[in-house]
Each structure stands twice: as structure tokens, then as C-alpha cells.
């Protein structure tokens, strides 16, 4: 297959962004939160779980443990009942208990506006840090989850499966000030239209711009 020129790819990326802006003008995270601490906890819980399952569990969790100070006093066994309906709940309960302790010990109970500091917390990787920093603090970032990675490959914006490499590929194609929107719009499109097993290509606004590379990816 002929390799696409950089200029053509940049033009196509611009057109994809315009289509996404028209289709999802209010794209944002579907996790429900009121402050950076709640967003951090919800994002940690969302790993290998649906946002819906997280949103159903967190109201009771946050009522019991409204901040890092309160959660730092809890044991994993005390946290578990609140998140039992979420996948990998035992491991996540351990992470949340220790995460809250470290927030208190290292950051005065506040979520730091610092990428490396967030990544250093239990259960929080690069994706979690990007989600928290972009949504809670307005930092430009593209958090690559399974949806973003899948669409990046199908749209031939990246050939990689490694999320860090996909992130760099997308950053090179899209304007920095639109990174946060792009992340949320791609997630919504991946959930609603460009499904993993059976993408709805006839109903896709990106269909004219999609080279349909790696549709099964």
C-alpha cells in the first residue's frame, strides 16, 4: 500500500477533527466527579471497567471517604464493599488505600498538578495522569485508552499498539489546544460508532476520511 505523505496526513487529521467537533461539540469525560481527588479515584477505578460501573459505585464511596485524608484511614477491606461491582476490585481497593496515604504524606492531601507525581501513585499510570491533569487542571494531554488506540490505527494515524507511541503520533498531528477534546471525542466515537468488533462504517461521519486500515485492530 502506498505510504501517505505527511502533508496529506496532516490535512486528513484536520478534517477528522472538524468532523468530530461537529458530531461531538460537548465531548468530555463521562466519569462523574466534583474535584481532582474524585476524578483521580474514578479514573483509577475505570481501568478495565466501564465508566458506568464506576459512576454507579462512586457516590457511596465518596460519601464514606470524601477526601484523601478520610480514605487514608481506611483499609483495603473497608474500601472493597463500595467497589465490589467493579472489575479487579480487590487490587483497586489496595491501590486506593495506599494512594490516599501517599497523597496525605507527599502532597498535603491534594492531588498534585504534576505528571510525574501522579504517575508515581499506586494504580495511576500515564493514561490516568493525562486524564486527571487535562480534566482537573486544564493541561493539554491525550490519554490513550483502548478506544483512542483502536481509532488511531484504523484512521492510519498510528501503526503502534504501545499507548505511549500512539500518544506521540497523535500529538504530532493535532494542535496542542485540541488534544483534550480529541481524546474525549475519539472515546465517544469508539463507544458509539467505531466499535471494536463491528464498526458501523455506513453510519460513521469519518467514513469518507478513513482509509479503513486495520479495521479488526
Amino acid at each position: 500500500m502506498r505510504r501517505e505523505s505527511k502533508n496529506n496526513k496532516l490535512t486528513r487529521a484536520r478534517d477528522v477533527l472538524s468532523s468530530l467537533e461537529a458530531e461531538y461539540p460537548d465531548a468530555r469525560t463521562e466519569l462523574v466527579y466534583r474535584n481532582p481527588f474524585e476524578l483521580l479515584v474514578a479514573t483509577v477505578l475505570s481501568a478495565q471497567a466501564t465508566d458506568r460501573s464506576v459512576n454507579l459505585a462512586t457516590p457511596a464511596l465518596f460519601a464514606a471517604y470524601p477526601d484523601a485524608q478520610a480514605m487514608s484511614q481506611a483499609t483495603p477491606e473497608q474500601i472493597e464493599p463500595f467497589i465490589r461491582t467493579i472489575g479487579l476490585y480487590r487490587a483497586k481497593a489496595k491501590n486506593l488505600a495506599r494512594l490516599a496515604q501517599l497523597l496525605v504524606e507527599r502532597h498535603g492531601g491534594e492531588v498534585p498538578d504534576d505528571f510525574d507525581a501522579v504517575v508515581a501513585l499506586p494504580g495511576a499510570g500515564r493514561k490516568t495522569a493525562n486524564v486527571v491533569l487535562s480534566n482537573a487542571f486544564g493541561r493539554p494531554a491525550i490519554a490513550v485508552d483502548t478506544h483512542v488506540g483502536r481509532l488511531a490505527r484504523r484512521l492510519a494515524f498510528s501503526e503502534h499498539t504501545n499507548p505511549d507511541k500512539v500518544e506521540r503520533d497523535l500529538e504530532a498531528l493535532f494542535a496542542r489546544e485540541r488534544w483534550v477534546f480529541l481524546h474525549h471525542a475519539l472515546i465517544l466515537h469508539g463507544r458509539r460508532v467505531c466499535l471494536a468488533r463491528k464498526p458501523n462504517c455506513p453510519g460513521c461521519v469519518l467514513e469518507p476520511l478513513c482509509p479503513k486500515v486495520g479495521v479488526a485492530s
Side-chain angles (χ1 to χ4, degrees):
M1 182 176 178
R2 184 186 228 171
R3 192 169 188 84
E4 185 177 23
S5 71
K6 183 177 180 180
N7 285 340
N8 283 350
K9 187 175 287 189
L10 286 169
T11 298
R12 197 161 53 82
R14 181 197 64 201
D15 293 342
V16 164
L17 180 63
S18 296
S19 295
L20 290 173
E21 287 172 334
E23 188 75 3
Y24 308 105
D26 300 316
R28 56 183 174 272
T29 181
E30 294 186 316
L31 292 172
V32 177
Y33 68 97
R34 295 170 296 184
N35 53 58
F37 173 72
E38 291 189 356
L39 176 59
L40 174 59
V41 170
T43 307
V44 169
L45 290 175
S46 70
Q48 299 183 54
T50 65
D51 287 357
R52 182 176 182 276
S53 69
V54 173
N55 290 337
L56 288 172
T58 49
L61 176 67
F62 293 144
Y65 307 111
D67 52 35
Q69 184 65 46
M71 190 173 285
S72 70
Q73 304 300 312
T75 65
E77 291 73 23
Q78 290 172 319
I79 295 174
E80 282 182 11
F82 294 98
I83 62 172
R84 195 177 298 274
T85 55
I86 299 174
L88 306 175
Y89 73 93
R90 287 193 177 90
K92 290 176 181 179
K94 291 179 182 178
N95 284 336
L96 291 184
R98 184 58 182 153
L99 176 152
Q101 292 169 1
L102 292 178
L103 285 179
V104 172
E105 293 171 11
R106 298 176 180 175
H107 308 290
E110 300 297 324
V111 176
D113 181 6
D114 179 270
F115 182 87
D116 291 334
V118 175
V119 169
L121 297 170
R126 186 177 186 89
K127 187 196 84 169
T128 296
N130 280 337
V131 169
V132 172
L133 295 181
S134 62
N135 288 282
F137 300 109
R139 297 265 296 270
I142 300 175
V144 178
D145 67 354
T146 56
H147 299 293
V148 174
R150 182 174 71 253
L151 268 67
R153 289 185 291 276
R154 287 182 177 175
L155 289 165
F157 290 150
S158 179
E159 299 175 349
H160 300 291
T161 56
N162 181 289
D164 295 354
K165 293 180 179 179
V166 174
E167 181 182 338
R168 288 195 290 270
D169 287 342
L170 292 175
E171 288 175 350
L173 289 171
F174 293 90
R176 185 179 179 87
E177 63 270 17
R178 301 307 290 153
W179 286 355
V180 178
F181 168 82
L182 176 71
H183 156 73
H184 293 311
L186 287 176
I187 288 177
L188 290 178
H189 198 64
R191 287 174 176 168
R192 299 176 184 179
V193 181
C194 194
L195 308 179
R197 294 186 178 179
K198 193 176 181 181
N200 179 19
C201 296
C204 178
V205 296
L206 302 182
E207 196 273 342
L209 302 166
C210 181
K212 299 182 179 63
V213 173
V215 167
S217 64

